[in-house]
Amino acid sequence: GSLLLAVHFYGLPRAAPLIPSTALGVLLLVLSSLLAYAGIRRSLRNASLFSSLCLTMSVFWCGYGVVFILGGQGVLNDTGDFRNALVPGLVTFTLALLIIAVVGFLCREVVLAMIASAVSLASAHEVAMHYSTAFGSSAVACNYMIVCLVGGYFALGRILYFLTKEKIALPGTDLAKKKTHEQMQSTRGSMNHFAVSGLILNMLSASVFGCRLLGVTGKLFIGQVPWLWAAGIYQIGICILSYRAMDVLMATFFGFTSILKFAGGYCLLYPIWQPEEPSFPTPFLVVFSILFAVLALFLTLKSPVDGLYLLFYVAYCIALACRPKGFFEGGPQGVDVAIFVASALMTLIHLYNVKASAKIPTGKGAVKALLARSSFLKIREGADLHAPYLGYSKYADAEVLGYACSVLASFAITMTGDPQAPLATVVIPWVVVAGGILKLLGGSVAFARGKTLESSVFILYAVMWIIWGLARYGGLYGTTRSFHAAVGIIAFMLFNGFIVFCTLFLNIAWFFYSLAFLLIAVSFLLDAIHALPAGYDIAAALIFGLVSFYCFLSALFNSIFEGSCLPMGRPIVQLSGVGGGMTKCLHLPARKASSVKRIADILKNGGTCGIPTDTVYVLVAACNRPDAVEKAHQSKRQAQDRPMSLWISSLKQLEPAKHLFTPLLWDFMEAAWPSPISLVVPRGEWVDFLGMKDSAKYVGTPQSIAIRIPDCSVTTHLIDLVGPIVVTSANPTGEADTTHHNQVYAKLGDKVDAVLCDGPSPENIASTVVDCTKIDSGNIGFFRVGIIPKSQVKLILILLLLP
């Protein structure tokens, strides 16, 4: 990318550019996507400075490339348009990259610091070039050539590092040893490495409007939209990655700020359709400021400095509410300047505190220490802080953002607008982005956490907000009404009615939440058939907004504090069947050794558990606990042709009874295991060596028993802790195999005491069951051909029979 820009600026004095602007812009967009991928992948491995540099450069070249495309397509024709479009982004990244460079030099990451400082100088020279002819383009090109040389050195170092299997590492290119300190910090507590990139994006959007107030740019127009919308798109990505970093509060904050960025870009596009500037809905902005204030209050518990930073956005929303033309007026632009400065300081603090051993004080833990004396409010802590109800998830809960977006969308539609000029009031960004896009994000995260109903609701409501927002407030609906629109709304209402019914079994808050949205849908329907009573739509929107606000506060309280300060309530209708009790089956992540030990304790105490294997999920019980084996047998209602099997972790457990097996059978077991092959062997006295006692009558048949050593480290470790286990498939007899931990409890309910969660099964096919009762005659049979084919099993026997 730097080489392209170096060539571009060296050829700038020429009459015809060496690289056409449109082509240069497209290439920069492609390179920005690659940089974003590199930054995300590296940040997941705790190399924060490299990640921040990649993501910052990615945003820079994304907005930069789109501006070049607009220039190449003749959109920026007026005198000074190209300068006015480029300068806000260049100013932002000059300072942002300078901060990264300073931290890099202080933390002795010289190569990355040199790249950041060279691009920062190039951007500064380009700004000067636009305002004074005394600065030529050669200085910009020289800085980009420095980036090429240093970047080439860094790339060479990484290539040698991988080709030599980490034996050769050029100075400054070994990222592995530089992440040790960050990994130690991560083990002590959650750390959001993506927050720095989010703060830089806040600088970018604030720069667009702040430069106009300070006179750096001459006007606000379409040429600055790429910076705003690039910041908005990347901010949504940072929001998702913050959930991945288990940082609910900052993820919610970045979701909020992305809405403002899209709204700013929308306002700059509006003059294309209408000559006047759009107006802003005051009630919505007041509510937005309240949400920011509540979020700031909770974030103060984590870090007072971060909480104070959010107060700038509270002031920003109030300033927008006080000025009818919003982003175009001096008051909000003045707050933008303050946000730019504050964001730069926060970027320096966050980046330095991640990299350096000596920290800049942020007051972290001060409020928590004060609350430690309180018996009423106790902050939630520990490894299971973000543990999902059903097993393992890589994301924190996004319900806080989902409820907040419902609040924003509902108060946004209280502005009816002018049917003749529907775009004149800024409603679409609030409804489509907040109610639609971010709600889809919340639904996707909820689905990843095993919340099927909640995710379905968020996704359904998001689709409705997007469709209705574009149709009603985007000029697509017009003054006429359509029977087809009414039919679509009725279909949606029927589905929402089913959701209302389902929420009876969830909790009271969700019941009122879905019921209140039914009132919103009714107002849409009445509007479609010209029968909307005066004030009904506003009343419905206010009711839904208030219910959503309570859910927002409840989700915030429950994510920060122990207990239920603002409870969501009990289910209105209690079920006595599967999932109906108040006691919930334990769902423990298989990635933790402590979880495996806890499952082992449950099995030793006579419990039954669902566990992952090398094939599908199974239901297990300790073979020395006849009561547990009987419980597992009864929970399955086993048919006679599907007897329970016996699993061990090693043939050493059968060593005392080796003399009871024929030499060929013993050799076959040694050759076949560990694997997804179950061997049906004759029942004999060897069963007593495993301590089965009264459990034996539930295992196998009177003539034979199926035995296996699974090829799964988690399962074999569990057997080492418990001893031999009795196994059956984790589904009622006759149903399909269970291939995900969520399905275990759904199929067996309270008949299983705990589930060891490992996500989707590695295979969707069960093990192969081989009849070895006549193996001494050289013959084997197959009760079931599973993942291992017959030919592979027979090959094992043939190799043993060969002289």
Side-chain angles (χ1 to χ4, degrees), residues 195-359:
V196 171
S197 301
L199 294 168
I200 291 173
L201 294 173
N202 290 342
M203 291 173 59
L204 178 58
S205 58
S207 174
V208 171
F209 299 106
C211 285
R212 176 67 188 92
L213 177 71
L214 299 176
V216 178
T217 55
K219 61 179 179 178
L220 296 172
F221 72 120
I222 188 176
Q224 294 147 354
V225 173
W227 298 118
L228 292 170
W229 280 9
I233 293 170
Y234 275 78
Q235 196 79 294
I236 291 179
I238 297 298
C239 173
I240 297 171
L241 293 170
S242 295
Y243 282 119
R244 180 72 177 260
M246 301 297 173
D247 192 347
V248 175
L249 297 179
M250 288 303 286
T252 306
F253 167 63
F254 290 138
F256 285 176
T257 54
S258 70
I259 301 171
L260 291 171
K261 292 169 175 58
F262 282 109
Y266 171 85
C267 291
L268 298 192
L269 282 178
Y270 180 76
I272 296 176
W273 300 289
Q274 299 289 338
E276 69 275 5
E277 296 165 346
S279 59
F280 280 68
T282 301
F284 167 85
L285 292 166
V286 172
V287 171
F288 208 176
S289 66
I290 293 173
L291 292 179
F292 266 118
V294 172
L295 191 62
L297 180 63
F298 280 89
L299 195 57
T300 302
L301 301 175
K302 177 183 175 183
S303 171
V305 171
D306 290 336
L308 290 173
Y309 173 65
L310 260 67
L311 294 180
F312 284 94
Y313 280 90
V314 177
Y316 190 47
C317 292
I318 294 174
L320 289 171
C322 293
R323 310 302 298 179
K325 297 304 178 183
F327 296 111
F328 296 93
E329 302 212 31
Q333 291 174 3
V335 182
D336 271 310
V337 174
I339 289 175
F340 181 87
V341 175
S343 298
L345 290 174
M346 292 299 296
T347 300
L348 177 62
I349 292 171
H350 274 263
L351 189 58
Y352 184 79
N353 284 352
V354 167
K355 294 297 302 177
S357 54
K359 308 295 183 186

Side-chain angles (χ1 to χ4, degrees), residues 415-737:
M415 293 294 294
T416 55
D418 184 2
Q420 302 299 329
L423 299 175
T425 304
V426 181
V427 176
I428 286 182
W430 319 127
V431 176
V432 174
V433 178
I437 297 173
L438 291 181
K439 211 167 182 64
L440 278 174
L441 186 157
S444 301
V445 173
F447 182 79
R449 292 177 60 81
K451 296 186 174 182
T452 307
L453 178 59
E454 293 92 326
S455 66
S456 301
V457 174
F458 281 150
I459 292 172
L460 179 71
Y461 291 0
V463 172
M464 191 63 184
W465 283 122
I466 291 173
I467 295 173
W468 184 256
L470 291 174
R472 180 70 178 83
Y473 299 98
L476 304 179
Y477 209 16
T479 57
T480 60
R481 298 296 183 263
S482 169
F483 171 76
H484 302 89
V487 172
I489 294 170
I490 290 173
F492 171 83
M493 290 174 62
L494 291 174
F495 193 79
N496 192 63
F498 173 71
I499 287 175
V500 173
F501 172 75
C502 291
T503 55
L504 289 171
F505 311 101
L506 188 57
N507 57 53
I508 296 173
W510 264 96
F511 171 74
F512 282 109
Y513 178 73
S514 58
L515 188 64
F517 195 82
L518 194 60
L519 299 177
I520 296 278
V522 169
S523 72
F524 294 166
L525 177 62
L526 294 176
D527 186 46
I529 61 175
H530 285 286
L532 182 65
Y536 173 82
D537 54 340
I538 296 177
L542 291 176
I543 292 172
F544 180 67
L546 292 174
V547 172
S548 300
F549 186 69
Y550 175 84
C551 293
F552 166 74
L553 290 177
S554 177
L556 263 180
F557 267 99
N558 293 334
S559 66
I560 300 298
F561 298 108
E562 293 182 0
S564 45
C565 304
L566 290 176
M568 297 289 281
R570 297 162 59 93
I572 297 175
V573 178
Q574 293 282 349
L575 291 178
S576 59
V578 175
M582 289 305 293
T583 57
K584 294 181 178 179
C585 166
L586 280 174
H587 284 70
L588 304 171
R591 289 165 173 78
K592 295 183 178 180
S594 58
S595 299
V596 179
K597 184 178 182 300
R598 195 168 177 185
I599 293 289
D601 293 337
I602 293 172
L603 292 175
K604 290 177 183 177
N605 292 325
T608 59
C609 300
I611 66 169
T613 69
D614 48 351
T615 54
V616 295
Y617 279 79
V618 295
L619 180 67
V620 302
C623 72
N624 59 359
R625 294 300 302 254
D627 53 339
V629 176
E630 182 181 5
K631 179 182 176 183
H633 186 273
Q634 291 177 349
S635 68
K636 284 291 305 283
R637 295 185 178 92
Q638 285 286 332
Q640 292 302 315
D641 59 342
R642 295 291 298 274
M644 302 175 75
S645 60
L646 180 68
W647 284 13
I648 57 177
S649 60
S650 170
L651 274 176
K652 291 181 180 179
Q653 292 173 319
L654 287 177
E655 281 283 354
K658 181 178 179 180
H659 62 283
L660 298 174
F661 295 90
T662 64
L664 180 59
L665 178 56
W666 187 267
D667 292 341
F668 188 66
M669 289 191 294
E670 280 189 326
W673 292 334
S675 70
I677 300 176
S678 296
L679 303 183
V680 178
V681 301
R683 181 187 285 268
E685 295 179 4
W686 61 268
V687 173
D688 299 331
F689 285 85
L690 298 178
M692 295 183 67
K693 300 178 182 178
D694 294 336
S695 302
K697 62 183 178 181
Y698 299 108
V699 182
T701 67
Q703 295 78 32
S704 61
I705 293 179
I707 187 168
R708 176 155 94 90
I709 299 178
D711 190 14
C712 175
S713 57
V714 172
T715 311
T716 53
H717 178 53
L718 178 64
I719 298 173
D720 286 336
L721 296 174
V722 178
I725 57 176
V726 175
V727 177
T728 184
S729 56
N731 53 272
T733 303
E735 292 191 10
D737 290 320

Side-chain angles (χ1 to χ4, degrees), residues 36-87:
Y37 174 78
I40 292 170
R41 292 289 297 177
R42 176 52 61 176
S43 189
L44 295 177
R45 298 169 64 184
N46 296 330
S48 58
L49 193 68
F50 180 84
S51 161
S52 299
L53 178 60
C54 287
L55 291 175
T56 302
M57 290 298 300
S58 177
V59 182
F60 182 21
W61 284 351
C62 179
Y64 204 42
V66 176
V67 172
F68 271 110
I69 292 173
L70 292 178
Q73 296 301 308
V75 177
L76 309 177
N77 282 330
D78 295 343
T79 304
D81 274 2
F82 201 66
R83 182 188 69 188
N84 289 329
L86 283 177
V87 165

